[in-house]
Amino acid sequence: MTRELSIPALVSEAWSLAAKAARPSLVIMLALIVAGGIYTFAIGPGSAMGDAAPAIAALVVFFVGVEFSLVVYRAMLETRTGDRLRLAHANLSIYVAFLFVGVFIGFFLLILPGILLKASGRVDVDAETPPEVVQAALVDMLPTAYGAVLILACLAGAAVLFFMALRLLLVGSATVATGQTLVFRTWPWTKGHALKLAVAGIATHIVPFSVALAVNWALRDVWGGGAIGSFLSGAVGMALLVPFLLSGHGLAVAALSKLHPDIKTDE
């Protein structure tokens, strides 16, 4: 049975759920902010400690992020179901899927500029061509029909990844609600609803993320390049992303309740 989605109702419920989960997730939210600071320190001044530092910091962010998602989903769903290992498994499965598709898209987009440059006759690209020459030729090509092909290819690649993200939106909330690792089993649930989910996502994903990005960019010169500055840059950046994270989780729960209201929680 096809279920109808109301975009205003989805957005309203998503933000209501975000506000509802803010207080119960406060402690793990602070831990995630600290983890964000540790990561930017590790890839900056902390990289002098060894090549493993960024990888370890990334793992810390991942596991704290999984715990954050679990706490938020439980608060939104009003349940104690869910398993952090299953949720981590679901997240990793999605990352692998995106990596697999992204590698093919990225490989195509890497070789396409060279093909178009040769076809346009602007520069003879080979392994010896200086990067600055290639970059200048690409900029010169963009206003042409060859540039339009490159831009359309990039947009198409981004659209494929965006479509996948929309179709897999329910993975985390469904995994917590059922206590089972659900990845592509949620794919049919969002069939025919990608456009409405995308429009709702403007208010729950794109706007709060863009605001966080803009504010973080405006503060880029405030912190300095030292150890404390690197930590603060990451911590503040993660703090600015909290509304985006909460509203994103909220949309997943709101959509789950509309598209699969009879889902059973594993008490």
Side-chain angles (χ1 to χ4, degrees):
M1 180 178 69
T2 302
R3 302 183 186 277
E4 292 297 322
L5 291 179
S6 165
I7 295 172
L10 277 177
V11 172
S12 176
E13 186 176 352
W15 281 105
S16 295
L17 289 168
K20 177 182 178 181
R23 185 173 178 179
S25 64
L26 183 59
V27 173
I28 192 62
M29 188 189 304
L30 292 174
L32 185 61
I33 291 170
V34 172
I38 293 173
Y39 178 74
T40 53
F41 167 77
I43 63 175
S47 60
M49 300 168 58
D51 295 337
I56 294 172
L59 283 174
V60 170
V61 172
F62 173 76
F63 285 113
V64 176
V66 169
E67 189 66 23
F68 172 82
S69 292
L70 180 62
V71 172
V72 168
Y73 280 136
R74 281 176 171 176
M76 292 179 174
L77 292 164
E78 296 182 344
T79 182
R80 297 304 302 168
T81 62
D83 179 273
R84 55 186 53 84
L85 290 180
R86 292 183 183 275
L87 186 56
H89 179 200
N91 286 343
L92 284 173
S93 298
I94 292 177
Y95 296 159
V96 171
F98 272 88
L99 179 63
F100 181 79
V101 175
V103 164
F104 285 96
I105 293 175
F107 177 75
F108 174 72
L109 293 179
L110 281 174
I111 64 172
L112 182 60
I115 295 172
L116 293 174
L117 283 173
K118 284 189 175 182
S120 68
R122 278 173 166 73
V123 64
D124 188 14
V125 180
D126 55 35
E128 304 300 324
T129 306
E132 58 271 15
V133 173
V134 175
Q135 184 176 2
L138 280 173
V139 173
D140 183 56
M141 185 184 71
L142 286 179
T144 70
Y146 296 98
V149 171
L150 178 60
I151 292 171
L152 288 174
C154 291
L155 291 175
V160 169
L161 295 177
F162 186 54
F163 179 76
M164 282 184 60
L166 291 170
R167 294 297 304 274
L168 295 173
L169 177 68
L170 307 183
V171 170
S173 56
T175 294
V176 173
T178 63
Q180 304 175 43
T181 303
L182 301 180
V183 183
F184 283 99
R185 278 185 286 173
T186 67
W187 184 274
W189 301 354
T190 54
K191 183 179 180 180
H193 301 290
L195 181 58
K196 288 187 175 181
L197 291 174
V199 176
I202 294 174
T204 60
H205 288 68
I206 295 176
V207 171
F209 182 81
S210 298
V211 170
L213 197 65
V215 174
N216 202 33
W217 176 259
L219 296 173
R220 66 189 185 282
D221 297 325
V222 172
W223 315 115
I228 295 178
S230 295
F231 174 84
L232 289 175
S233 174
V236 172
M238 186 64 76
L240 290 170
L241 287 174
V242 166
F244 157 75
L245 295 172
L246 288 174
S247 60
H249 284 65
L251 180 61
V253 173
L256 179 67
S257 67
K258 300 293 189 299
L259 296 177
H260 213 293
D262 54 343
I263 195 167
K264 302 297 183 181
T265 58
D266 181 14
E267 299 290 350

